[in-house]
Amino acid sequence: MSEELASGPKESPPAPRPGPREVWKKGGRLLSVLLAVNVLLLACTLISGGAFNKVAVYDTDVFALLTTMMLLAALWTLFYLLRTARCPDAVPYRDAHAGPIWLRGGLVLFGICTLVMDVFKTGYYSSFFECQSAIKILYPLIQAVFVIIQTYFLWVSAKDCIHAHLDLTRCGLMFTLTTHLAIWMAAVVDESVHQAHSYSSLHSNTSHSRLALDPERAGSQDGGGFCSCNTALCQIFQQGYFYLYPFNIEYSLFASTMLYVMWKNVGRLLPSTHGHGHGHGHSLTRVSLFRETFFAGPILGLILFVVGLAVFIIYEVQVSGEGARKRQALVIYYSFNIICLGLMTLVSLSGSVIYRFDRRAMDHHKNPTRTLDVALLMGAALGQYAISYYSIVAVVVGLPRDLLGGLNLAHALLMIAQHTFQNVFIIESLHRGPPGAEPYDAAPKEPCHGLTFANLDALHTLPACPPTPRLDGPSPADPQEAVAVILAPRGHWRRRCLKDISLFLLLCNVILWIMPAFGARPHFSNTLEVDFYGYSLWAAIVNICLPFGIFYRMHAVSSLLEVYVLS
Amino acid sequence: MSEELASGPKESPPAPRPGPREVWKKGGRLLSVLLAVNVLLLACTLISGGAFNKVAVYDTDVFALLTTMMLLAALWTLFYLLRTARCPDAVPYRDAHAGPIWLRGGLVLFGICTLVMDVFKTGYYSSFFECQSAIKILYPLIQAVFVIIQTYFLWVSAKDCIHAHLDLTRCGLMFTLTTHLAIWMAAVVDESVHQAHSYSSLHSNTSHSRLALDPERAGSQDGGGFCSCNTALCQIFQQGYFYLYPFNIEYSLFASTMLYVMWKNVGRLLPSTHGHGHGHGHSLTRVSLFRETFFAGPILGLILFVVGLAVFIIYEVQVSGEGARKRQALVIYYSFNIICLGLMTLVSLSGSVIYRFDRRAMDHHKNPTRTLDVALLMGAALGQYAISYYSIVAVVVGLPRDLLGGLNLAHALLMIAQHTFQNVFIIESLHRGPPGAEPYDAAPKEPCHGLTFANLDALHTLPACPPTPRLDGPSPADPQEAVAVILAPRGHWRRRCLKDISLFLLLCNVILWIMPAFGARPHFSNTLEVDFYGYSLWAAIVNICLPFGIFYRMHAVSSLLEVYVLS
């Protein structure tokens, strides 16, 4: 939204091919944002109401709403696909930055996992078909269809800059985005309720049932007494679908970011050189994957990854025990995290130091995908920041004088440092020009798109003339040239270091994603904060903030992959 | 943040006067945002921890933190003022859009009220000096000094585009902004606790004490048994400072928006024509205030304002009664609101319809102040949207079949409609060019800043050449010309209608601000939602969302004043 004003002047020259230019782009955007906000708030109200057992909103209401939204979004998507297939003039440009291959690949991967989850869910609810409302079985089936349509749609159309039915397309995209966000919210809330339920059944303390299901309701969810989930198959289905939730959550978020970029690109005009470029340059370097590193980064990262997996399994096994075993599990968990976060902080810092010697120019060009990436990295980090600050206050004010308190404090502090320095490193990397490009000041002032000026000062008074003639792609226009530029400085130690650093950080982020995404909750096992804030406040903080923290890891992985390929 | 990328190319020509151009503006911004986020989260943690009585964080901790922050921010402000006074080269440009007179006037007004509040607070805490920690008396005194320095600073410097010590200035501005936001949070939390306290003492129901003070704590706040607030003077001080809170809250928000615009303008380059322009054109039209309306808008608005005040007083007197009286108060309150909101919706809609016949061009130029205005209007409306959706769900699912339920539903629906249509009207108004400007397509293609092109197509290929030569001010360069342009189509009915509409909406927004800001809480008096969601959930929703709703009204007033002057 805020970028719109600045982009106004940029779009002012009339388009070469499409019809008359839009009078006021912001008006169309406003309309679609208003639609999205209203639908999202309605969904949010129902979902949050459904999560609290005292409120007379039932999960069938939520399922009904989500199913309706998915059907509508799927219909619109089909309509969009049909229309663009019939009239190729509707998409005159394609944004080379949008929908990079790793994002689309991740989407397909998570989409497949979501389909498996839907099978499990259908199986689970079919086990006691008689005492369920039909919507609970319908919901995973519709979701499966929706995921298939969406994955195909985003694979094919993620790069489109569409120029037909602008307002309708914006509203359709925003509605689909809202649907994904609503599904994400529902999944997160469902997982939190499940977590709280298992926590309160572990502690069998009824005073902690604020976010938990009460026995009646849990009974009615499982189908009541005579049709509860007793068979082995049903148990497997139930366990399975809870373990597949993280993938569904990530799928929704990936799809949302891609839809947002598509929405930003509606009606956008790009210089038509290689208009249909499919991220050229990137795919060419993938042949020589890993050849250009010192191997230190990937190897150290892999070691940490394997150790982390082992620590995670030990933690999960031991933490449900009592007293000393639980304490040992927490000490192991925190120690590993402290070492991992410390190393990541140092490595990110050294990456930033390397950039101080880097002579590549900064890339100032407009790029909605990158802007979104940066905003998401900064925004999603807030979740983990908030949890860490609450932990710090609890430890500092509560003054526990034991090992766990100290470990918790160190963990929280390092978490803040690691997020900060990693964000600085990634954001700086994303803004570097392509390798081999001359620094800005040394570049000769080229005339602006073939215009020549007798007086160079005249160029400076030009309001928004970019310093280089290439408008919207960091890679040069000609693919052959691109390869030459990218491969030329291959042996340089700086590039190799940066590739090592990005791979190391990537692997660390994967393991730090796996732990919370698959259920490690030291926040509750470690009773420090629960005692300090009380269960309900601390559960609210963690359940709201942790999903963002988990999304941060996933998003950092995709950004680091981009850094690896581009550096 | 997101606007940065787009503005990159714009800043590429080297500045005429200031030193070497910044290599990467986003880097400096990143640094200051990271600082602000961390400080704000720490403050947020302490403030929210202090609000819950079960948590061992005391309000003295919060006061100590806020006092330290205010001292640091005041020191930086003094440093900034000294530096810019000594070296006038540091501010080569001034943004004519930033800090308009009504914003600065509002700031001074709210600043004076905050000073009065500080006097009351000091008097209140001095009444039982012996049993208070010193920080509680120090806090209002430091706040008074801080407010005086800040008001002077913002009055003098709101338009600055500073070009010296860029990173330090950004960090300083962000830190000051964070301080204001922290004060705002503390005030909002304090008011919510007060409200919850009076609610629970009214209902004397201990199960509702989640957000309220427990008796012990309240006792210790009032100084314990032997030094409680018994004297008449002390009571007056206590009542007085709670009624002045809304002004303090608005002061912090006004200052924050102005600081944000200053932060966006750090290092910004503007064309130096009339670089020191003080919002020329606007001040000149104020002579003929009210002369150009049909008087219908202001008169109808004033009637509603006076009736609203009467309704508010009746409501406040009657709502604390029992049964029928309380019911009557709620019916009167809702009826007035429904009429007022309905009229506002119709009027906003007719304003949008008038724009369909308007031939003025849309203004696409970059303008951080306007971008912020739009974002704040949209963002702050979310608060009221959320409350309304929760009300709607409660009424629709809870199915109360009485008059109050129906009124509540109509009120919630109209609230959503009113916010939506008013936002559309205001945002469209803010994007209209100055009156008398020709529509876009009819304007002759003027050459870009004195350059001439033989081939007009060359102009179209220019990436970001704005359609008109005036870069960053909708009013023409020459003040005399501006007056001529603004006064020329004086008699036109469309302009008059728009002025009427904006004045009517302005007055309605003022009365709708006064009601919640000075303590009307039908959300709790009307027991529908409390019964449906439970007290703690509903209190959390209202206490988080209502401050945004109140801020929306205030911000809409300042935007409507701008619409009135510009249309």
Side-chain angles (χ1 to χ4, degrees), chain A residues 132-182:
Chain A
Q132 285 290 343
S133 65
I135 193 80
K136 287 200 178 173
I137 301 169
L138 207 61
Y139 175 74
L141 292 176
I142 301 278
Q143 195 184 22
V145 175
F146 178 69
V147 165
I148 291 169
I149 293 175
Q150 283 291 311
T151 310
Y152 174 74
F153 163 64
L154 287 172
W155 184 272
V156 170
S157 318
K159 292 174 185 296
D160 289 4
C161 298
I162 194 154
H163 278 259
H165 303 289
L166 295 176
D167 287 344
L168 182 67
T169 308
R170 284 205 187 97
C171 287
L173 284 171
M174 262 293 155
F175 184 78
T176 315
L177 173 63
T178 311
T179 308
H180 281 290
L181 285 182

Side-chain angles (χ1 to χ4, degrees), chain A residues 2-3 5-6 8-10 12-14 21 23-24 26 30 33-34 37-38 41-42 44-46 48 52 54-57 210 362 364-367 370-371 374 378 382 385-386 389-390 393 397 416 420 424 427-428 431 440 448-449 451 453 458 460-467 471 532-533 536-537, chain B residues 2-3 5-6 8-10 12-14 21 23-24 26 30 33-34 37-38 41-42 44-46 48 52 54-57 210 362 364-367 370-371 374 378 382 385-386 389-390 393 397 416 420 424 427-428 431 440 448-449 451 453 458 460-467 471 532-533 536-537:
Chain A
S2 61
E3 207 174 347
L5 280 166
K10 223 161 181 171
S12 48
R21 150 178 190 295
V23 178
W24 190 43
K26 202 165 189 175
L30 185 63
V33 167
L34 280 172
V37 162
N38 281 288
L41 277 173
L42 182 62
C44 178
T45 312
L46 279 179
S48 65
F52 286 87
K54 283 176 199 155
V55 181
V57 178
R210 236 180 75 81
M362 300 309 288
H364 290 289
H365 300 136
K366 192 184 167 186
N367 180 344
R370 184 173 57 192
T371 310
V374 171
M378 296 289 288
L382 287 182
Y385 273 147
Y389 275 109
Y390 277 98
V393 168
V397 179
I416 293 172
T420 306
V424 169
I427 292 172
E428 187 160 6
H431 283 85
Y440 177 75
C448 213
H449 264 249
L451 303 168
F453 304 94
H460 299 158
T461 57
L462 248 166
C465 171
L471 232 197
F532 189 79
Y533 293 109
S536 49
L537 177 59
Chain B
S2 60
E3 206 174 347
L5 282 166
K10 225 162 179 172
S12 48
R21 150 178 191 294
V23 178
W24 190 43
K26 205 167 186 173
L30 185 63
V33 167
L34 280 171
V37 161
N38 281 287
L41 277 173
L42 182 63
C44 178
T45 312
L46 279 178
S48 67
F52 286 87
K54 283 177 199 154
V55 181
V57 178
R210 235 180 75 83
M362 299 309 288
H364 290 289
H365 301 135
K366 191 184 168 187
N367 180 344
R370 183 173 59 193
T371 310
V374 170
M378 297 289 288
L382 287 182
Y385 274 147
Y389 275 108
Y390 277 99
V393 168
V397 178
I416 293 172
T420 307
V424 169
I427 292 171
E428 187 158 7
H431 282 85
Y440 177 74
C448 213
H449 263 250
L451 305 168
F453 306 93
H460 299 158
T461 56
L462 248 167
C465 172
L471 232 196
F532 189 80
Y533 292 109
S536 49
L537 177 59

